Amino acid sequence: MKFFIDTANPGEIRKAYEMGVIDGVTTNPTLISKENRDFIPLIEEICEIIQGLPISLEVLSLKTEGMIEEARNLAEMGDNIVVKIPMTIEGLKAIKVLVAERIKTNTTLVFSPTQALLAAKAGATYVSPFIGRLDDISQTGMDLVAQIVTIFKNYGFGSKVIVASIRHPIHVLEAALIGADVATIPYKVIEQLAQHPLTDIGIERFLADWKKVPKK
Ligand code: E4P
């Protein structure tokens, strides 16, 4: 299972990269806007940190032609750029063209299994179901992931499933149990994955007991 970090914050990306647990980065316009920085230097800084790992950057055009043009420009920034295309009919048409140009795509804002099926048929490199946003409206997001994983296995689609809009460690656990290819995780949740109170208690106890060992 691959872990991407879902942030545009270079500090968070550096910390996760140094932990040795991340395989890529996903961003979106909201995450980029939080950094309050010029887009290009921000992405250059992130790319320097992640050393060729994939980074998803989103297009803003709503029409196919605009998406394709933006995607081509973004892809020029490096071989590791993955272009996020919204799951619309215009987006599907853009994906078809970008696949032919070998530009990697991440179909974003996927909320149903049939949307995922269409994205896979169009040849998307990645498909991103947003599970937290479904949970927010009382629909179990992880059910969608299970359905997509089954459909992709049934037909041997090459698209990878990125579980997105992750809110807590149980989302990561369930994604792993289902066998999703990737989870894109906020930094705070990566930290939460590492924590266990019994680990902290155990360390304290070992340190306390070590003090009792006679030393010359
Ligand atoms: C994924 O690629 C998106 O950037 C992200 O997971 C969206 O998460 P949110 O629903 O917490 O905004």
Side-chain angles (χ1 to χ4, degrees):
M1 184 186 200
K2 290 193 188 300
F3 277 8
F4 291 175
I5 183 168
D6 195 30
T7 181
N9 181 276
E12 291 184 341
I13 294 168
R14 184 171 282 109
K15 282 190 277 182
Y17 184 80
E18 284 171 358
M19 276 183 227
V21 298
I22 61 154
D23 305 291
V25 176
T26 53
T27 69
N28 62 40
T30 305
L31 294 171
I32 299 278
S33 75
K34 282 185 188 161
E35 297 310 308
N36 201 21
R37 301 237 331 244
D38 280 351
F39 178 66
I40 301 286
L42 175 63
I43 300 308
E44 282 172 350
E45 184 179 344
I46 294 173
C47 285
E48 212 174 295
I49 298 167
I50 59 174
Q51 297 289 319
L53 292 177
I55 174 169
S56 290
L57 306 174
E58 191 154 342
V59 299
L60 293 158
S61 304
L62 301 178
K63 293 284 178 197
T64 305
E65 294 69 27
M67 290 177 187
I68 293 168
E69 196 185 326
E70 278 187 66
R72 286 177 181 149
N73 289 336
L74 291 171
E76 271 177 22
M77 295 176 74
D79 288 346
N80 59 326
I81 303 298
V82 178
V83 183
K84 260 185 164 181
I85 307 282
M87 180 47 238
T88 59
I89 287 171
E90 293 291 305
L92 290 172
K93 292 192 281 183
I95 291 166
K96 182 179 185 292
V97 172
L98 297 171
V99 169
E101 296 182 16
R102 297 183 185 282
I103 293 176
K104 293 182 274 295
T105 56
N106 174 354
T107 312
T108 190
L109 294 166
V110 168
F111 292 99
S112 80
T114 48
Q115 286 182 321
L117 180 53
L118 285 172
K121 285 188 70 66
T125 318
Y126 299 100
V127 174
S128 290
F130 275 39
I131 58 164
R133 294 191 194 187
L134 283 170
D135 288 356
D136 289 344
I137 57 159
S138 306
Q139 195 178 323
T140 308
M142 206 53 72
D143 290 349
L144 170 62
V145 175
Q147 288 175 325
I148 296 171
V149 168
T150 301
I151 292 168
F152 285 11
K153 267 196 198 138
N154 284 349
Y155 296 100
F157 283 119
S159 305
K160 302 284 181 207
V161 180
I162 303 181
V163 181
S165 187
I166 280 179
R167 302 277 157 82
H168 49 69
I170 299 294
H171 277 153
V172 180
L173 171 64
E174 289 178 344
L177 290 170
I178 289 169
D181 302 290
V182 186
T184 188
I185 315 172
Y187 180 73
K188 185 184 119 223
V189 178
I190 294 177
E191 278 191 333
Q192 287 173 324
L193 290 173
Q195 288 157 3
H196 199 290
L198 289 179
T199 305
D200 300 337
I201 291 167
I203 289 170
E204 269 176 40
R205 195 173 298 161
F206 284 151
L207 290 176
D209 288 344
W210 186 249
K211 282 188 186 144
K212 298 176 204 158
V213 177
K215 292 161 200 96
K216 282 188 187 171

Tab-separated table of all heavy atoms in Angstrom, residues 6-7 25-31 34 56 58 84 106 108-109 111 128-133 136 162-167 184-186, ligand 1:
chain	number	residue	atom	x	y	z
A	6	ASP	N	-1.425	14.385	1.947
A	6	ASP	CA	-2.428	15.278	1.351
A	6	ASP	C	-2.244	16.679	1.932
A	6	ASP	O	-2.916	17.064	2.884
A	6	ASP	CB	-3.821	14.716	1.695
A	6	ASP	CG	-4.933	15.310	0.858
A	6	ASP	OD1	-4.667	15.678	-0.307
A	6	ASP	OD2	-6.074	15.389	1.348
A	7	THR	N	-1.319	17.413	1.347
A	7	THR	CA	-1.003	18.749	1.839
A	7	THR	C	-0.144	19.469	0.802
A	7	THR	O	0.479	18.814	-0.042
A	7	THR	CB	-0.220	18.684	3.172
A	7	THR	OG1	0.043	20.010	3.638
A	7	THR	CG2	1.129	17.992	3.030
A	25	VAL	N	2.608	12.900	-3.097
A	25	VAL	CA	1.902	14.055	-2.519
A	25	VAL	C	0.653	14.317	-3.350
A	25	VAL	O	0.685	14.169	-4.576
A	25	VAL	CB	2.810	15.316	-2.556
A	25	VAL	CG1	2.065	16.549	-2.043
A	25	VAL	CG2	4.093	15.097	-1.748
A	26	THR	N	-0.435	14.680	-2.678
A	26	THR	CA	-1.594	15.204	-3.414
A	26	THR	C	-1.896	16.599	-2.890
A	26	THR	O	-1.757	16.869	-1.693
A	26	THR	CB	-2.854	14.314	-3.249
A	26	THR	OG1	-3.105	14.102	-1.856
A	26	THR	CG2	-2.699	12.988	-3.953
A	27	THR	N	-2.286	17.473	-3.816
A	27	THR	CA	-2.696	18.824	-3.422
A	27	THR	C	-4.046	19.092	-4.078
A	27	THR	O	-4.518	18.308	-4.893
A	27	THR	CB	-1.692	19.887	-3.927
A	27	THR	OG1	-1.776	19.965	-5.353
A	27	THR	CG2	-0.269	19.577	-3.517
A	28	ASN	N	-4.638	20.183	-3.694
A	28	ASN	CA	-5.829	20.686	-4.393
A	28	ASN	C	-5.830	22.201	-4.220
A	28	ASN	O	-5.009	22.732	-3.447
A	28	ASN	CB	-7.110	19.994	-3.877
A	28	ASN	CG	-7.367	20.264	-2.405
A	28	ASN	OD1	-7.173	21.383	-1.925
A	28	ASN	ND2	-7.818	19.252	-1.676
A	29	PRO	N	-6.701	22.924	-4.904
A	29	PRO	CA	-6.659	24.389	-4.812
A	29	PRO	C	-6.826	24.904	-3.379
A	29	PRO	O	-6.219	25.914	-3.004
A	29	PRO	CB	-7.821	24.826	-5.713
A	29	PRO	CG	-7.926	23.722	-6.728
A	29	PRO	CD	-7.637	22.468	-5.969
A	30	THR	N	-7.625	24.214	-2.578
A	30	THR	CA	-7.820	24.643	-1.184
A	30	THR	C	-6.516	24.517	-0.398
A	30	THR	O	-6.112	25.442	0.330
A	30	THR	CB	-8.928	23.783	-0.516
A	30	THR	OG1	-10.096	23.854	-1.313
A	30	THR	CG2	-9.214	24.246	0.903
A	31	LEU	N	-5.849	23.378	-0.548
A	31	LEU	CA	-4.586	23.156	0.177
A	31	LEU	C	-3.528	24.157	-0.284
A	31	LEU	O	-2.757	24.687	0.524
A	31	LEU	CB	-4.095	21.716	-0.036
A	31	LEU	CG	-4.980	20.620	0.575
A	31	LEU	CD1	-4.517	19.232	0.119
A	31	LEU	CD2	-4.971	20.701	2.099
A	34	LYS	N	-4.029	27.640	1.222
A	34	LYS	CA	-3.650	27.758	2.650
A	34	LYS	C	-2.201	28.193	2.826
A	34	LYS	O	-1.826	28.712	3.870
A	34	LYS	CB	-3.847	26.406	3.356
A	34	LYS	CG	-5.278	26.097	3.688
A	34	LYS	CD	-5.346	24.815	4.497
A	34	LYS	CE	-6.817	24.404	4.646
A	34	LYS	NZ	-6.969	22.999	4.999
A	56	SER	N	0.355	15.293	-7.232
A	56	SER	CA	-0.855	15.636	-7.981
A	56	SER	C	-1.151	17.125	-7.858
A	56	SER	O	-1.222	17.659	-6.745
A	56	SER	CB	-2.071	14.866	-7.432
A	56	SER	OG	-1.998	13.503	-7.731
A	58	GLU	N	-3.865	20.163	-9.459
A	58	GLU	CA	-5.206	20.170	-10.056
A	58	GLU	C	-5.399	21.265	-11.108
A	58	GLU	O	-4.928	22.391	-10.924
A	58	GLU	CB	-6.229	20.360	-8.923
A	58	GLU	CG	-7.656	20.136	-9.347
A	58	GLU	CD	-8.545	19.716	-8.175
A	58	GLU	OE1	-8.019	19.279	-7.124
A	58	GLU	OE2	-9.758	19.831	-8.316
A	84	LYS	N	-4.472	16.438	-11.780
A	84	LYS	CA	-5.792	16.129	-11.226
A	84	LYS	C	-6.871	16.734	-12.122
A	84	LYS	O	-6.895	17.948	-12.358
A	84	LYS	CB	-5.927	16.762	-9.847
A	84	LYS	CG	-5.695	15.815	-8.716
A	84	LYS	CD	-5.982	16.539	-7.415
A	84	LYS	CE	-6.140	15.583	-6.281
A	84	LYS	NZ	-6.443	16.285	-5.036
A	106	ASN	N	-5.040	12.050	-12.373
A	106	ASN	CA	-5.699	11.624	-11.144
A	106	ASN	C	-7.118	12.180	-11.215
A	106	ASN	O	-7.308	13.390	-11.136
A	106	ASN	CB	-4.918	12.196	-9.952
A	106	ASN	CG	-5.580	11.941	-8.614
A	106	ASN	OD1	-6.694	11.420	-8.550
A	106	ASN	ND2	-4.898	12.331	-7.546
A	108	THR	N	-10.336	13.329	-9.892
A	108	THR	CA	-10.648	13.779	-8.535
A	108	THR	C	-12.146	14.032	-8.382
A	108	THR	O	-12.879	14.087	-9.370
A	108	THR	CB	-9.811	15.034	-8.202
A	108	THR	OG1	-9.957	15.312	-6.808
A	108	THR	CG2	-10.214	16.246	-9.024
A	109	LEU	N	-12.571	14.129	-7.119
A	109	LEU	CA	-13.988	14.375	-6.787
A	109	LEU	C	-14.867	13.225	-7.287
A	109	LEU	O	-15.915	13.444	-7.897
A	109	LEU	CB	-14.448	15.728	-7.338
A	109	LEU	CG	-13.766	16.940	-6.687
A	109	LEU	CD1	-13.991	18.215	-7.496
A	109	LEU	CD2	-14.248	17.153	-5.250
A	111	PHE	N	-17.352	10.308	-6.394
A	111	PHE	CA	-18.291	10.015	-5.302
A	111	PHE	C	-19.196	8.819	-5.598
A	111	PHE	O	-20.071	8.515	-4.798
A	111	PHE	CB	-19.141	11.261	-4.996
A	111	PHE	CG	-18.332	12.378	-4.387
A	111	PHE	CD1	-17.869	13.428	-5.170
A	111	PHE	CD2	-18.002	12.357	-3.037
A	111	PHE	CE1	-17.103	14.451	-4.622
A	111	PHE	CE2	-17.237	13.381	-2.477
A	111	PHE	CZ	-16.789	14.419	-3.258
A	128	SER	N	-9.652	8.969	-7.508
A	128	SER	CA	-9.694	9.358	-6.090
A	128	SER	C	-11.114	9.479	-5.541
A	128	SER	O	-11.757	10.525	-5.686
A	128	SER	CB	-8.991	10.716	-5.903
A	128	SER	OG	-7.606	10.597	-6.086
A	129	PRO	N	-11.617	8.426	-4.888
A	129	PRO	CA	-12.887	8.555	-4.154
A	129	PRO	C	-12.673	9.357	-2.866
A	129	PRO	O	-11.720	9.099	-2.131
A	129	PRO	CB	-13.259	7.095	-3.834
A	129	PRO	CG	-11.992	6.314	-3.927
A	129	PRO	CD	-11.072	7.042	-4.855
A	130	PHE	N	-13.557	10.317	-2.621
A	130	PHE	CA	-13.450	11.221	-1.458
A	130	PHE	C	-14.328	10.686	-0.324
A	130	PHE	O	-15.507	11.029	-0.217
A	130	PHE	CB	-13.921	12.621	-1.852
A	130	PHE	CG	-12.884	13.495	-2.483
A	130	PHE	CD1	-11.963	12.985	-3.376
A	130	PHE	CD2	-12.832	14.853	-2.180
A	130	PHE	CE1	-11.002	13.800	-3.971
A	130	PHE	CE2	-11.885	15.683	-2.762
A	130	PHE	CZ	-10.969	15.160	-3.661
A	131	ILE	N	-13.746	9.893	0.546
A	131	ILE	CA	-14.595	9.166	1.501
A	131	ILE	C	-15.087	10.036	2.665
A	131	ILE	O	-16.215	9.896	3.105
A	131	ILE	CB	-13.880	7.910	2.023
A	131	ILE	CG1	-12.564	8.279	2.684
A	131	ILE	CG2	-13.651	6.914	0.898
A	131	ILE	CD1	-12.033	7.155	3.527
A	132	GLY	N	-14.238	10.937	3.161
A	132	GLY	CA	-14.638	11.771	4.303
A	132	GLY	C	-15.842	12.639	3.959
A	132	GLY	O	-16.744	12.823	4.783
A	133	ARG	N	-15.850	13.151	2.735
A	133	ARG	CA	-16.973	14.023	2.349
A	133	ARG	C	-18.270	13.228	2.234
A	133	ARG	O	-19.352	13.774	2.429
A	133	ARG	CB	-16.664	14.758	1.039
A	133	ARG	CG	-15.520	15.736	1.204
A	133	ARG	CD	-15.360	16.658	0.022
A	133	ARG	NE	-14.066	17.322	0.086
A	133	ARG	CZ	-13.677	18.286	-0.728
A	133	ARG	NH1	-14.478	18.699	-1.691
A	133	ARG	NH2	-12.481	18.832	-0.596
A	136	ASP	N	-19.450	12.684	5.726
A	136	ASP	CA	-20.041	13.941	6.208
A	136	ASP	C	-21.535	14.042	5.893
A	136	ASP	O	-22.272	14.755	6.565
A	136	ASP	CB	-19.354	15.161	5.560
A	136	ASP	CG	-17.939	15.374	6.076
A	136	ASP	OD1	-17.590	14.796	7.121
A	136	ASP	OD2	-17.184	16.138	5.421
A	162	ILE	N	-6.888	5.797	-5.208
A	162	ILE	CA	-6.362	6.623	-4.110
A	162	ILE	C	-7.524	6.935	-3.172
A	162	ILE	O	-8.473	7.623	-3.564
A	162	ILE	CB	-5.788	7.972	-4.604
A	162	ILE	CG1	-4.682	7.781	-5.643
A	162	ILE	CG2	-5.282	8.794	-3.425
A	162	ILE	CD1	-4.076	9.111	-6.147
A	163	VAL	N	-7.460	6.427	-1.956
A	163	VAL	CA	-8.496	6.775	-0.970
A	163	VAL	C	-8.199	8.186	-0.472
A	163	VAL	O	-7.139	8.442	0.115
A	163	VAL	CB	-8.520	5.759	0.188
A	163	VAL	CG1	-9.616	6.129	1.187
A	163	VAL	CG2	-8.737	4.354	-0.358
A	164	ALA	N	-9.118	9.109	-0.762
A	164	ALA	CA	-8.884	10.530	-0.466
A	164	ALA	C	-9.922	11.035	0.525
A	164	ALA	O	-10.890	10.338	0.839
A	164	ALA	CB	-8.954	11.332	-1.760
A	165	SER	N	-9.662	12.253	1.031
A	165	SER	CA	-10.544	12.872	2.031
A	165	SER	C	-10.551	12.024	3.307
A	165	SER	O	-11.593	11.777	3.914
A	165	SER	CB	-11.953	13.028	1.435
A	165	SER	OG	-12.791	13.758	2.272
A	166	ILE	N	-9.358	11.590	3.672
A	166	ILE	CA	-9.178	10.772	4.884
A	166	ILE	C	-9.188	11.689	6.105
A	166	ILE	O	-8.553	12.745	6.096
A	166	ILE	CB	-7.870	9.958	4.766
A	166	ILE	CG1	-8.140	8.734	3.889
A	166	ILE	CG2	-7.302	9.578	6.135
A	166	ILE	CD1	-6.952	7.838	3.665
A	167	ARG	N	-9.910	11.269	7.146
A	167	ARG	CA	-10.065	12.141	8.319
A	167	ARG	C	-9.435	11.576	9.583
A	167	ARG	O	-9.227	12.301	10.553
A	167	ARG	CB	-11.556	12.385	8.589
A	167	ARG	CG	-12.312	13.006	7.442
A	167	ARG	CD	-12.144	14.518	7.436
A	167	ARG	NE	-12.379	15.082	6.111
A	167	ARG	CZ	-13.576	15.353	5.596
A	167	ARG	NH1	-14.639	15.108	6.293
A	167	ARG	NH2	-13.671	15.867	4.393
A	184	THR	N	-4.266	8.763	0.568
A	184	THR	CA	-3.632	10.073	0.679
A	184	THR	C	-4.087	10.700	1.993
A	184	THR	O	-5.282	10.852	2.247
A	184	THR	CB	-3.848	10.974	-0.551
A	184	THR	OG1	-3.017	12.120	-0.385
A	184	THR	CG2	-5.292	11.404	-0.780
A	185	ILE	N	-3.090	10.998	2.841
A	185	ILE	CA	-3.369	11.195	4.267
A	185	ILE	C	-2.866	12.566	4.726
A	185	ILE	O	-1.718	12.928	4.445
A	185	ILE	CB	-2.639	10.086	5.085
A	185	ILE	CG1	-2.825	8.712	4.427
A	185	ILE	CG2	-3.107	10.060	6.519
A	185	ILE	CD1	-1.993	7.606	5.052
A	186	PRO	N	-3.680	13.322	5.485
A	186	PRO	CA	-3.175	14.565	6.065
A	186	PRO	C	-2.062	14.266	7.079
A	186	PRO	O	-2.058	13.193	7.697
A	186	PRO	CB	-4.399	15.158	6.787
A	186	PRO	CG	-5.581	14.434	6.256
A	186	PRO	CD	-5.097	13.084	5.815
B	1	E4P	C1	-7.391	14.453	-2.381
B	1	E4P	O1	-6.641	14.372	-3.325
B	1	E4P	C2	-7.937	15.702	-1.826
B	1	E4P	O2	-6.920	16.687	-1.843
B	1	E4P	C3	-8.359	15.595	-0.389
B	1	E4P	O3	-8.192	14.298	0.108
B	1	E4P	C4	-9.653	16.234	-0.059
B	1	E4P	O4	-9.905	16.070	1.303
B	1	E4P	P1	-10.979	16.932	2.114
B	1	E4P	O5	-12.327	16.355	1.862
B	1	E4P	O6	-10.572	16.763	3.554
B	1	E4P	O7	-10.874	18.338	1.629
